[in-house]
Amino acid sequence: MPVETKTERGPRNGVDTPKLFATLDAVKNQPELAKFQFRAKNRWIKGTNSRSRIEGFAGAGGEHAHKGEYVYEADHPAVLVGEDKAPTPVEFLLHAIAACLTAGIANIAAARGVTLTEVTSTVEGDINLLGILGLSDTVRNGYERIRVSFDIRGDAPAEKLKQIVEQSRSRSAVYDVLAHGVPVDVAVNAG
Amino acid sequence: MPVETKTERGPRNGVDTPKLFATLDAVKNQPELAKFQFRAKNRWIKGTNSRSRIEGFAGAGGEHAHKGEYVYEADHPAVLVGEDKAPTPVEFLLHAIAACLTAGIANIAAARGVTLTEVTSTVEGDINLLGILGLSDTVRNGYERIRVSFDIRGDAPAEKLKQIVEQSRSRSAVYDVLAHGVPVDVAVNAG
C-alpha cells in the first residue's frame, strides 16, 4: 500500500483511490479495525473430491457476508487416482498468489497515478510426489518452488511498472504465507 | 500414503484402492514419474478483480489436460475497497488446505480398511491488515495463524480416525507449503 505517494487521488484502474486512502486513514486512527478472520467450510463428497463454502468473515469491527455464494470443489486427477472433478488443492495456491499480487498491482498503480492496460501472469509450481507418496525421506511433501511471471502494460516506463509489481510482492498476504509459512493447527473431533 | 498397511485393498470411500497401490508400485519402480508441475494463468479484470484458468499440468512422464474448464475469480470485499465479485485470494488458501487434508483422509482411510461416513472441516485464518496496509513494521502481511478443525465419522474407533487425520497432515502438500513456506520467484516483463 503506497502510503508514500498520495499525489494522484482520482479513481483509476477500477480502484476507488479516494476510498482507499480514506480507509487507510480510518485504520491509522483505529488500528483494531485491521483485525480480520477469514473462513472456509469444507465437506467431503467422495474419494478425493470435496467442496468448500466461503461465506462470511470478520473484520473492520464486525461480521460480513460475501455478496455471492462462493462454492469451490477440489479433487485429484485420474493420474493420481482421483476423478478430476475439479483442480487439485495445490493448484488453488497458484490461483491465490496470482490473484493477490494482481490486486495489489492494481491498487498500487492507481495510488501512484499509473493507468494499467493489461496485467497477466503465469504461475508454475514444481512438486515431486515422492514426498506425499511416502517413497522418500528427503523429498518434501509440498511444492519445491513456485514461479510467478507477470506481463504488465500501462502508461508508465517499464521501470516504474516493475516497481509496482515489486511493491505488491512486498505487501502481499499470499506471497508472505507461501514464502514464509504460517503456524497451522489441526484439531479433530472423531466419533 | 499408508505404505505400512496393505491388508485391505478393496475400493472404499470412492477410492480405487487397488489402483492407488498399483500407482504407488509404479512410482517406486520409476521415481521420475513423481515429478509434477502444476500451473495457473491469471488475467486482471478491473480493480482488485482477476480471473485464473487452471488448464493443464505435467506429471507421470507427460502432459495432462484437466477434464473440465476450471476458471476462478478473486476480488477484495467492499470493506477493503473491492467489489466482492469473488472471495479474497487468502480465502482460497483455506479451501486448499481443507481439500488437501480431506483428500488424504479419504485415501488413507480406504487403504486402512476404514469406511468413512462424514468428514467436514472448518478453517479459520487470522490476519492483521496493518501489515499489508503498510501501517506497521512488526505485523506480518499474511495470516498469523490458521486453524483447521475436523469432524470425522466412520466405522473405526475415534483413536483410529484421529490417526488417519494425523497421517494425512503429515503427508499433505498444502499443509507443508503453508506451514513451512516455499521459495517463490516473481519475474516481470514490463512494456
Short mmCIF file of all heavy atoms in Angstrom, two decimals, chain A residues 13-56:
data_model
loop_
_atom_site.label_atom_id
_atom_site.label_comp_id
_atom_site.label_asym_id
_atom_site.label_seq_id
_atom_site.Cartn_x
_atom_site.Cartn_y
_atom_site.Cartn_z
N ASN A 13 -8.02 2.58 -12.78
CA ASN A 13 -7.91 1.11 -12.88
C ASN A 13 -9.09 0.39 -12.22
O ASN A 13 -8.97 -0.76 -11.83
CB ASN A 13 -6.60 0.61 -12.23
CG ASN A 13 -5.35 1.21 -12.87
OD1 ASN A 13 -5.33 1.45 -14.08
ND2 ASN A 13 -4.34 1.45 -12.07
N GLY A 14 -10.21 1.10 -12.09
CA GLY A 14 -11.33 0.49 -11.38
C GLY A 14 -11.14 0.50 -9.87
O GLY A 14 -11.94 -0.09 -9.14
N VAL A 15 -10.12 1.18 -9.41
CA VAL A 15 -9.86 1.28 -7.97
C VAL A 15 -10.37 2.64 -7.48
O VAL A 15 -10.04 3.67 -8.05
CB VAL A 15 -8.34 1.18 -7.67
CG1 VAL A 15 -8.06 1.43 -6.19
CG2 VAL A 15 -7.80 -0.17 -8.11
N ASP A 16 -11.18 2.61 -6.44
CA ASP A 16 -11.70 3.85 -5.85
C ASP A 16 -10.62 4.41 -4.91
O ASP A 16 -10.64 4.22 -3.70
CB ASP A 16 -12.99 3.54 -5.08
CG ASP A 16 -13.68 4.81 -4.57
OD1 ASP A 16 -13.01 5.87 -4.53
OD2 ASP A 16 -14.86 4.72 -4.21
N THR A 17 -9.68 5.10 -5.53
CA THR A 17 -8.49 5.55 -4.79
C THR A 17 -8.83 6.46 -3.62
O THR A 17 -8.27 6.30 -2.54
CB THR A 17 -7.51 6.24 -5.76
OG1 THR A 17 -7.54 5.54 -7.01
CG2 THR A 17 -6.09 6.19 -5.22
N PRO A 18 -9.77 7.41 -3.77
CA PRO A 18 -10.12 8.23 -2.60
C PRO A 18 -10.61 7.37 -1.44
O PRO A 18 -10.23 7.59 -0.28
CB PRO A 18 -11.23 9.15 -3.14
CG PRO A 18 -10.97 9.23 -4.61
CD PRO A 18 -10.45 7.88 -5.00
N LYS A 19 -11.43 6.37 -1.74
CA LYS A 19 -11.93 5.50 -0.68
C LYS A 19 -10.79 4.67 -0.08
O LYS A 19 -10.77 4.37 1.12
CB LYS A 19 -13.02 4.57 -1.25
CG LYS A 19 -13.77 3.80 -0.16
CD LYS A 19 -14.88 2.93 -0.74
CE LYS A 19 -15.41 1.97 0.29
NZ LYS A 19 -16.20 0.88 -0.32
N LEU A 20 -9.85 4.29 -0.93
CA LEU A 20 -8.70 3.51 -0.47
C LEU A 20 -7.90 4.33 0.55
O LEU A 20 -7.55 3.83 1.63
CB LEU A 20 -7.82 3.15 -1.67
CG LEU A 20 -6.66 2.18 -1.48
CD1 LEU A 20 -7.14 0.83 -0.98
CD2 LEU A 20 -5.91 2.00 -2.81
N PHE A 21 -7.65 5.59 0.25
CA PHE A 21 -6.89 6.43 1.19
C PHE A 21 -7.70 6.75 2.44
O PHE A 21 -7.16 6.83 3.54
CB PHE A 21 -6.39 7.70 0.50
CG PHE A 21 -5.20 7.45 -0.39
CD1 PHE A 21 -5.29 7.63 -1.76
CD2 PHE A 21 -3.99 7.02 0.16
CE1 PHE A 21 -4.19 7.38 -2.58
CE2 PHE A 21 -2.89 6.78 -0.66
CZ PHE A 21 -2.99 6.95 -2.04
N ALA A 22 -9.01 6.90 2.26
CA ALA A 22 -9.87 7.15 3.43
C ALA A 22 -9.85 5.94 4.37
O ALA A 22 -9.81 6.09 5.60
CB ALA A 22 -11.30 7.47 2.98
N THR A 23 -9.87 4.74 3.77
CA THR A 23 -9.82 3.52 4.57
C THR A 23 -8.51 3.45 5.34
O THR A 23 -8.46 3.10 6.53
CB THR A 23 -9.97 2.29 3.65
OG1 THR A 23 -11.24 2.37 2.99
CG2 THR A 23 -9.89 0.99 4.44
N LEU A 24 -7.44 3.79 4.64
CA LEU A 24 -6.12 3.79 5.26
C LEU A 24 -6.08 4.75 6.45
O LEU A 24 -5.57 4.41 7.53
CB LEU A 24 -5.11 4.23 4.19
CG LEU A 24 -3.66 3.79 4.29
CD1 LEU A 24 -3.55 2.27 4.33
CD2 LEU A 24 -2.89 4.32 3.09
N ASP A 25 -6.65 5.93 6.27
CA ASP A 25 -6.68 6.91 7.37
C ASP A 25 -7.51 6.40 8.54
O ASP A 25 -7.14 6.57 9.70
CB ASP A 25 -7.24 8.25 6.86
CG ASP A 25 -6.22 9.00 6.01
OD1 ASP A 25 -5.01 8.69 6.13
OD2 ASP A 25 -6.64 9.86 5.21
N ALA A 26 -8.66 5.77 8.22
CA ALA A 26 -9.53 5.25 9.28
C ALA A 26 -8.80 4.20 10.11
O ALA A 26 -8.90 4.18 11.34
CB ALA A 26 -10.80 4.66 8.67
N VAL A 27 -8.06 3.33 9.44
CA VAL A 27 -7.36 2.26 10.16
C VAL A 27 -6.17 2.82 10.96
O VAL A 27 -5.88 2.35 12.05
CB VAL A 27 -6.88 1.16 9.17
CG1 VAL A 27 -6.09 0.08 9.90
CG2 VAL A 27 -8.07 0.54 8.45
N LYS A 28 -5.57 3.86 10.41
CA LYS A 28 -4.48 4.52 11.16
C LYS A 28 -5.00 5.03 12.50
O LYS A 28 -4.35 4.91 13.53
CB LYS A 28 -3.97 5.73 10.35
CG LYS A 28 -2.59 5.53 9.74
CD LYS A 28 -2.14 6.84 9.10
CE LYS A 28 -1.61 6.60 7.71
NZ LYS A 28 -1.38 7.81 6.94
N ASN A 29 -6.21 5.59 12.46
CA ASN A 29 -6.78 6.17 13.68
C ASN A 29 -7.38 5.11 14.61
O ASN A 29 -7.62 5.40 15.78
CB ASN A 29 -7.86 7.19 13.31
CG ASN A 29 -7.26 8.38 12.60
OD1 ASN A 29 -6.11 8.77 12.87
ND2 ASN A 29 -8.00 8.96 11.65
N GLN A 30 -7.68 3.95 14.08
CA GLN A 30 -8.35 2.90 14.87
C GLN A 30 -7.78 1.54 14.45
O GLN A 30 -8.44 0.76 13.75
CB GLN A 30 -9.86 2.97 14.59
CG GLN A 30 -10.72 2.65 15.81
CD GLN A 30 -12.19 2.78 15.50
OE1 GLN A 30 -12.62 3.63 14.70
NE2 GLN A 30 -13.02 1.95 16.13
N PRO A 31 -6.56 1.24 14.89
CA PRO A 31 -5.83 0.06 14.37
C PRO A 31 -6.55 -1.26 14.60
O PRO A 31 -6.29 -2.22 13.88
CB PRO A 31 -4.50 0.09 15.15
CG PRO A 31 -4.37 1.50 15.62
CD PRO A 31 -5.76 2.00 15.85
N GLU A 32 -7.46 -1.33 15.57
CA GLU A 32 -8.15 -2.62 15.81
C GLU A 32 -9.08 -2.98 14.65
O GLU A 32 -9.49 -4.14 14.51
CB GLU A 32 -8.91 -2.60 17.15
CG GLU A 32 -10.09 -1.66 17.23
CD GLU A 32 -9.69 -0.25 17.67
OE1 GLU A 32 -8.50 0.13 17.51
OE2 GLU A 32 -10.56 0.49 18.17
N LEU A 33 -9.42 -2.01 13.79
CA LEU A 33 -10.22 -2.30 12.60
C LEU A 33 -9.49 -3.25 11.65
O LEU A 33 -10.10 -3.88 10.78
CB LEU A 33 -10.55 -1.01 11.84
CG LEU A 33 -11.47 -0.01 12.55
CD1 LEU A 33 -11.63 1.24 11.68
CD2 LEU A 33 -12.83 -0.62 12.84
N ALA A 34 -8.17 -3.34 11.79
CA ALA A 34 -7.36 -4.12 10.85
C ALA A 34 -7.38 -5.61 11.14
O ALA A 34 -6.85 -6.41 10.36
CB ALA A 34 -5.91 -3.62 10.86
N LYS A 35 -7.99 -6.01 12.26
CA LYS A 35 -8.00 -7.44 12.61
C LYS A 35 -9.12 -8.16 11.86
O LYS A 35 -10.30 -7.87 12.06
CB LYS A 35 -8.18 -7.61 14.11
CG LYS A 35 -6.94 -7.17 14.88
CD LYS A 35 -7.05 -7.49 16.35
CE LYS A 35 -5.79 -7.01 17.08
NZ LYS A 35 -5.92 -7.10 18.53
N PHE A 36 -8.74 -9.12 11.01
CA PHE A 36 -9.70 -9.88 10.20
C PHE A 36 -9.57 -11.38 10.49
O PHE A 36 -8.53 -11.87 10.91
CB PHE A 36 -9.44 -9.65 8.70
CG PHE A 36 -10.10 -8.40 8.17
CD1 PHE A 36 -9.73 -7.13 8.64
CD2 PHE A 36 -11.09 -8.48 7.21
CE1 PHE A 36 -10.33 -5.98 8.15
CE2 PHE A 36 -11.70 -7.33 6.71
CZ PHE A 36 -11.33 -6.08 7.18
N GLN A 37 -10.69 -12.07 10.28
CA GLN A 37 -10.64 -13.53 10.26
C GLN A 37 -11.41 -14.02 9.04
O GLN A 37 -12.59 -13.73 8.89
CB GLN A 37 -11.25 -14.13 11.53
CG GLN A 37 -11.17 -15.65 11.51
CD GLN A 37 -11.85 -16.30 12.70
OE1 GLN A 37 -13.06 -16.49 12.72
NE2 GLN A 37 -11.08 -16.63 13.71
N PHE A 38 -10.72 -14.77 8.20
CA PHE A 38 -11.37 -15.39 7.04
C PHE A 38 -11.64 -16.86 7.35
O PHE A 38 -10.96 -17.46 8.18
CB PHE A 38 -10.49 -15.23 5.79
CG PHE A 38 -10.40 -13.81 5.33
CD1 PHE A 38 -9.28 -13.04 5.59
CD2 PHE A 38 -11.47 -13.23 4.66
CE1 PHE A 38 -9.20 -11.71 5.18
CE2 PHE A 38 -11.41 -11.90 4.24
CZ PHE A 38 -10.28 -11.15 4.50
N ARG A 39 -12.64 -17.42 6.65
CA ARG A 39 -13.09 -18.78 6.98
C ARG A 39 -13.53 -19.55 5.75
O ARG A 39 -14.02 -18.96 4.78
CB ARG A 39 -14.31 -18.72 7.93
CG ARG A 39 -14.08 -17.91 9.18
CD ARG A 39 -15.38 -17.67 9.92
NE ARG A 39 -15.19 -16.66 10.95
CZ ARG A 39 -16.01 -15.64 11.18
NH1 ARG A 39 -17.11 -15.49 10.44
NH2 ARG A 39 -15.76 -14.78 12.14
N ALA A 40 -13.39 -20.85 5.82
CA ALA A 40 -13.97 -21.75 4.82
C ALA A 40 -14.51 -22.98 5.53
O ALA A 40 -13.98 -23.38 6.57
CB ALA A 40 -12.90 -22.16 3.81
N LYS A 41 -15.60 -23.53 4.97
CA LYS A 41 -16.16 -24.77 5.50
C LYS A 41 -16.10 -25.80 4.40
O LYS A 41 -16.55 -25.54 3.27
CB LYS A 41 -17.62 -24.58 5.91
CG LYS A 41 -17.79 -23.78 7.17
CD LYS A 41 -19.27 -23.71 7.55
CE LYS A 41 -19.44 -22.79 8.76
NZ LYS A 41 -20.85 -22.72 9.19
N ASN A 42 -15.57 -26.97 4.71
CA ASN A 42 -15.40 -28.00 3.69
C ASN A 42 -16.16 -29.26 4.06
O ASN A 42 -16.28 -29.60 5.25
CB ASN A 42 -13.91 -28.30 3.53
CG ASN A 42 -13.63 -29.33 2.43
OD1 ASN A 42 -13.75 -30.53 2.63
ND2 ASN A 42 -13.27 -28.84 1.26
N ARG A 43 -16.69 -29.94 3.04
CA ARG A 43 -17.36 -31.23 3.26
C ARG A 43 -16.87 -32.23 2.23
O ARG A 43 -16.84 -31.94 1.04
CB ARG A 43 -18.89 -31.06 3.14
CG ARG A 43 -19.67 -32.38 3.30
CD ARG A 43 -21.17 -32.15 3.29
NE ARG A 43 -21.62 -31.52 4.53
CZ ARG A 43 -21.93 -32.21 5.64
NH1 ARG A 43 -21.86 -33.53 5.65
NH2 ARG A 43 -22.31 -31.57 6.72
N TRP A 44 -16.46 -33.39 2.72
CA TRP A 44 -16.04 -34.48 1.85
C TRP A 44 -17.22 -34.97 1.04
O TRP A 44 -18.32 -35.14 1.57
CB TRP A 44 -15.47 -35.61 2.71
CG TRP A 44 -15.12 -36.85 1.96
CD1 TRP A 44 -14.25 -36.97 0.92
CD2 TRP A 44 -15.62 -38.16 2.21
NE1 TRP A 44 -14.18 -38.27 0.52
CE2 TRP A 44 -15.02 -39.02 1.29
CE3 TRP A 44 -16.52 -38.70 3.14
CZ2 TRP A 44 -15.27 -40.39 1.26
CZ3 TRP A 44 -16.79 -40.05 3.11
CH2 TRP A 44 -16.17 -40.90 2.18
N ILE A 45 -17.00 -35.20 -0.26
CA ILE A 45 -18.06 -35.74 -1.12
C ILE A 45 -17.84 -37.24 -1.32
O ILE A 45 -18.66 -38.06 -0.93
CB ILE A 45 -18.09 -35.01 -2.48
CG1 ILE A 45 -18.38 -33.51 -2.26
CG2 ILE A 45 -19.14 -35.63 -3.39
CD1 ILE A 45 -18.23 -32.66 -3.51
N LYS A 46 -16.70 -37.60 -1.92
CA LYS A 46 -16.44 -39.00 -2.28
C LYS A 46 -15.03 -39.08 -2.82
O LYS A 46 -14.60 -38.20 -3.57
CB LYS A 46 -17.44 -39.43 -3.36
CG LYS A 46 -17.37 -40.89 -3.77
CD LYS A 46 -18.26 -41.11 -5.00
CE LYS A 46 -17.80 -42.37 -5.73
NZ LYS A 46 -18.29 -42.45 -7.09
N GLY A 47 -14.32 -40.14 -2.48
CA GLY A 47 -12.95 -40.27 -2.97
C GLY A 47 -12.13 -39.06 -2.56
O GLY A 47 -12.17 -38.66 -1.39
N THR A 48 -11.42 -38.47 -3.49
CA THR A 48 -10.59 -37.31 -3.17
C THR A 48 -11.31 -35.99 -3.43
O THR A 48 -10.70 -34.92 -3.40
CB THR A 48 -9.28 -37.34 -4.00
OG1 THR A 48 -9.62 -37.56 -5.38
CG2 THR A 48 -8.37 -38.46 -3.53
N ASN A 49 -12.61 -36.06 -3.68
CA ASN A 49 -13.41 -34.88 -4.05
C ASN A 49 -14.08 -34.27 -2.81
O ASN A 49 -14.74 -34.98 -2.05
CB ASN A 49 -14.47 -35.35 -5.07
CG ASN A 49 -15.34 -34.23 -5.63
OD1 ASN A 49 -16.46 -34.48 -6.03
ND2 ASN A 49 -14.85 -33.00 -5.68
N SER A 50 -13.91 -32.98 -2.62
CA SER A 50 -14.59 -32.27 -1.53
C SER A 50 -15.02 -30.89 -2.01
O SER A 50 -14.63 -30.45 -3.09
CB SER A 50 -13.69 -32.16 -0.30
OG SER A 50 -12.66 -31.21 -0.52
N ARG A 51 -15.84 -30.24 -1.18
CA ARG A 51 -16.43 -28.95 -1.57
C ARG A 51 -16.33 -27.96 -0.41
O ARG A 51 -16.71 -28.30 0.71
CB ARG A 51 -17.89 -29.15 -1.95
CG ARG A 51 -18.60 -27.89 -2.41
CD ARG A 51 -20.08 -28.17 -2.70
NE ARG A 51 -20.24 -29.05 -3.86
CZ ARG A 51 -21.00 -30.14 -3.90
NH1 ARG A 51 -21.70 -30.50 -2.84
NH2 ARG A 51 -21.07 -30.87 -4.99
N SER A 52 -15.84 -26.76 -0.69
CA SER A 52 -15.73 -25.71 0.33
C SER A 52 -16.74 -24.61 0.07
O SER A 52 -17.00 -24.25 -1.08
CB SER A 52 -14.33 -25.08 0.33
OG SER A 52 -13.34 -26.00 0.71
N ARG A 53 -17.26 -24.07 1.15
CA ARG A 53 -18.09 -22.87 1.09
C ARG A 53 -17.35 -21.73 1.78
O ARG A 53 -16.83 -21.91 2.88
CB ARG A 53 -19.43 -23.09 1.80
CG ARG A 53 -20.31 -24.02 1.06
CD ARG A 53 -21.66 -24.30 1.73
NE ARG A 53 -22.37 -25.25 0.91
CZ ARG A 53 -23.09 -24.91 -0.18
NH1 ARG A 53 -23.23 -23.64 -0.51
NH2 ARG A 53 -23.66 -25.83 -0.91
N ILE A 54 -17.34 -20.58 1.12
CA ILE A 54 -16.69 -19.40 1.67
C ILE A 54 -17.78 -18.37 1.84
O ILE A 54 -18.26 -17.78 0.86
CB ILE A 54 -15.56 -18.91 0.74
CG1 ILE A 54 -14.48 -20.00 0.65
CG2 ILE A 54 -14.97 -17.60 1.25
CD1 ILE A 54 -13.39 -19.72 -0.36
N GLU A 55 -18.25 -18.21 3.05
CA GLU A 55 -19.49 -17.45 3.26
C GLU A 55 -19.28 -16.08 3.92
O GLU A 55 -19.71 -15.07 3.41
CB GLU A 55 -20.45 -18.30 4.10
CG GLU A 55 -20.87 -19.56 3.35
CD GLU A 55 -21.70 -20.52 4.19
OE1 GLU A 55 -21.45 -20.63 5.41
OE2 GLU A 55 -22.59 -21.18 3.62
N GLY A 56 -18.66 -16.07 5.07
CA GLY A 56 -18.55 -14.83 5.80
C GLY A 56 -17.18 -14.65 6.41
O GLY A 56 -16.37 -15.58 6.44
#
